[in-house]
């Protein structure tokens, strides 16, 4: 059994295998889909790699949103999205494994039924990957629910995976960075669009609603102002206790009026965002 399965859910959050955080080809998944997946992972706990069916009440998954998106829609996308998992071949070379996240599922037709349920199992390939997993991140549920954009959650999970690394920055190619955020290949192609619709909102939410501070610096050849974009440098740090306590206070308050309450904070961290 790998080290990941030996971990237990605690106040630090949901244990999510690094392979599931670093999966590729997830651009079709919505914020709700990603939340549902994390709740399914938490519910399966240390039995996640077993060849068995898990059962969770649908209302536990519906509580992850207040919009019109149905649990059934998320389950179907999690079943049909082909994900790419970094791995090694038999000679130790970099390779890619292709699988789905979920296998067979059964959902109660009436999602309003308080006793409605979701019966699910993880795909055989995903179970095998999880059984061997040696690295993981811990996702705080109350932070996950605070985000309003899927890009914030994707970036937050990537930071959770890297929390205990000796270094606190990493360079990514353009393709690697877009994959990490879950940006579709045909969306937000120009940097100004990517910055406005994905990066700035994600960084703003992480810096104000999570236990991290993060910067993203575009890397360019030929000058930082007008040079050709070649990649991104991500820097992060865990918040100091006092700053984290302020975030916790905000997370415990109603979401109504949150944007207005945080506007000053967002403006104050704007200078930290190394986005040009």
């Amino acid at each position: 059994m790998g080290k990941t399965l030996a971990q237990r859910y605690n106040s630090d959050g949901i244990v999510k295998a690094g392979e599931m955080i670093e999966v590729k080809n997830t651009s079709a998944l919505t914020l709700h889909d990603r939340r549902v997946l994390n709740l399914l992972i938490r519910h399966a706990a240390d039995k996640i790699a077993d060849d068995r069916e898990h059962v969770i009440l649908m209302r536990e998954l519906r509580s992850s949103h207040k919009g019109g998106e149905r649990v059934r829609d998320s389950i179907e996308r999690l079943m049909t999205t082909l994900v790419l998992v970094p791995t090694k071949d038999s000679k130790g070379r970099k390779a890619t494994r292709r699988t789905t996240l979920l296998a067979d599922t059964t959902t109660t037709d009436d999602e309003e039924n308080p006793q409605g349920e979701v019966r699910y199992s993880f795909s055989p390939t995903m179970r095998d990957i999880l059984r061997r997993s040696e690295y993981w991140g811990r996702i705080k549920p109350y932070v996950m629910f605070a985000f309003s954009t899927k890009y914030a959650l994707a970036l937050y999970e990537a930071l959770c995976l890297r929390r205990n690394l000796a270094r606190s920055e990493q360079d990514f190619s353009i393709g690697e960075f877009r994959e990490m955020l879950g940006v579709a290949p045909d969306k937000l192609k120009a940097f100004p669009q990517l910055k406005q619709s994905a990066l700035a909102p994600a960084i703003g939410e992480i810096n104000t609603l999570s236990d991290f501070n993060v910067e993203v610096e575009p890397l360019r050849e030929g000058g930082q102002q007008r040079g050709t974009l070649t990649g991104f440098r991500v820097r992060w740090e865990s918040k100091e206790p006092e700053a984290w306590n302020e975030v916790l206070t905000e997370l415990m308050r109603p979401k109504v009026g949150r944007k207005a309450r945080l506007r000053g904070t967002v403006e104050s961290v704007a200078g930290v965002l190394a986005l040009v």
Side-chain angles (χ1 to χ4, degrees), residues 48-264:
I48 193 171
D50 294 354
D51 183 8
R52 58 173 290 175
E53 189 175 58
H54 311 279
V55 183
I56 185 172
L57 290 176
M58 191 170 288
R59 66 171 182 262
E60 295 185 35
L61 302 177
R62 284 182 59 81
S63 66
S64 68
H65 79 305
K66 294 183 179 179
E69 197 166 7
R70 298 178 301 179
V71 171
R72 180 167 65 251
D73 295 335
S74 289
I75 295 296
E76 289 180 355
R77 277 190 292 270
L78 292 172
M79 289 183 67
T80 57
T81 298
L82 180 67
V83 297
L84 312 181
V85 184
T87 185
K88 300 287 186 180
D89 67 10
S90 61
K91 302 298 183 181
R93 297 166 296 207
K94 287 185 177 181
T96 299
R97 200 168 184 178
R98 295 161 183 83
T99 185
T100 57
L101 293 165
L102 298 181
D104 290 348
T105 64
T106 302
T107 60
T108 302
D109 289 342
D110 181 8
E111 293 202 12
E112 301 300 327
N113 188 322
Q115 297 305 313
E117 64 183 24
V118 176
R119 307 181 74 89
Y120 66 100
S121 60
F122 291 90
S123 68
T125 297
M126 186 55 66
R127 293 200 307 269
D128 181 59
I129 291 170
L130 296 172
R131 197 174 295 116
R132 302 166 184 267
S133 177
E134 296 286 333
Y135 69 121
W136 62 91
R138 287 188 178 271
I139 316 302
K140 290 179 168 56
Y142 41 92
V143 172
M144 173 178 76
F145 291 136
F147 295 141
S148 64
T149 165
K150 70 175 186 178
Y151 304 120
L153 179 52
L155 181 55
Y156 175 68
E157 291 190 3
L159 297 178
C160 290
L161 183 61
R162 293 164 172 79
R163 183 189 301 274
N164 295 319
L165 293 180
R167 67 183 189 280
S168 58
E169 69 174 39
Q170 185 173 347
D171 291 353
F172 298 88
S173 69
I174 296 174
E176 290 171 339
F177 188 72
R178 289 175 61 90
E179 282 279 10
M180 183 173 69
L181 289 182
V183 180
D186 60 339
K187 303 293 185 183
L188 309 180
K189 292 183 177 181
F191 176 69
Q193 296 174 320
L194 181 68
K195 173 184 174 181
Q196 179 178 356
S197 299
L199 273 181
I203 294 171
E205 289 198 331
I206 288 173
N207 285 349
T208 55
L209 297 173
S210 86
D211 44 326
F212 285 101
N213 290 317
V214 64
E215 305 176 13
V216 177
E217 176 188 355
L219 302 177
R220 300 179 182 274
E221 286 185 356
Q224 278 300 95
Q225 295 298 321
R226 299 184 180 277
T228 302
L229 184 69
T230 59
F232 296 89
R233 177 167 296 148
V234 180
R235 301 186 183 92
W236 64 89
E237 64 178 6
S238 295
K239 282 188 170 71
E240 295 295 330
E242 182 178 354
W244 173 228
N245 286 335
E246 291 178 2
V247 172
L248 284 175
T249 299
E250 176 57 40
L251 293 179
M252 296 302 108
R253 300 177 70 180
K255 284 189 175 182
V256 177
R258 176 170 288 170
K259 287 186 177 180
R261 292 195 299 271
L262 294 179
R263 187 170 295 119

Side-chain angles (χ1 to χ4, degrees), residues 15-24 26 37-38 41 48 85 101-102 122 126 129-130 133 135 157:
V15 178
K16 189 171 186 179
E19 291 87 349
M20 295 190 83
I21 293 176
E22 295 191 313
V23 293
K24 301 178 180 180
T26 60
L37 175 60
N38 286 343
I41 291 170
I48 193 171
V85 184
L101 293 165
L102 298 181
F122 291 90
M126 186 55 66
I129 291 170
L130 296 172
S133 177
Y135 69 121
E157 291 190 3

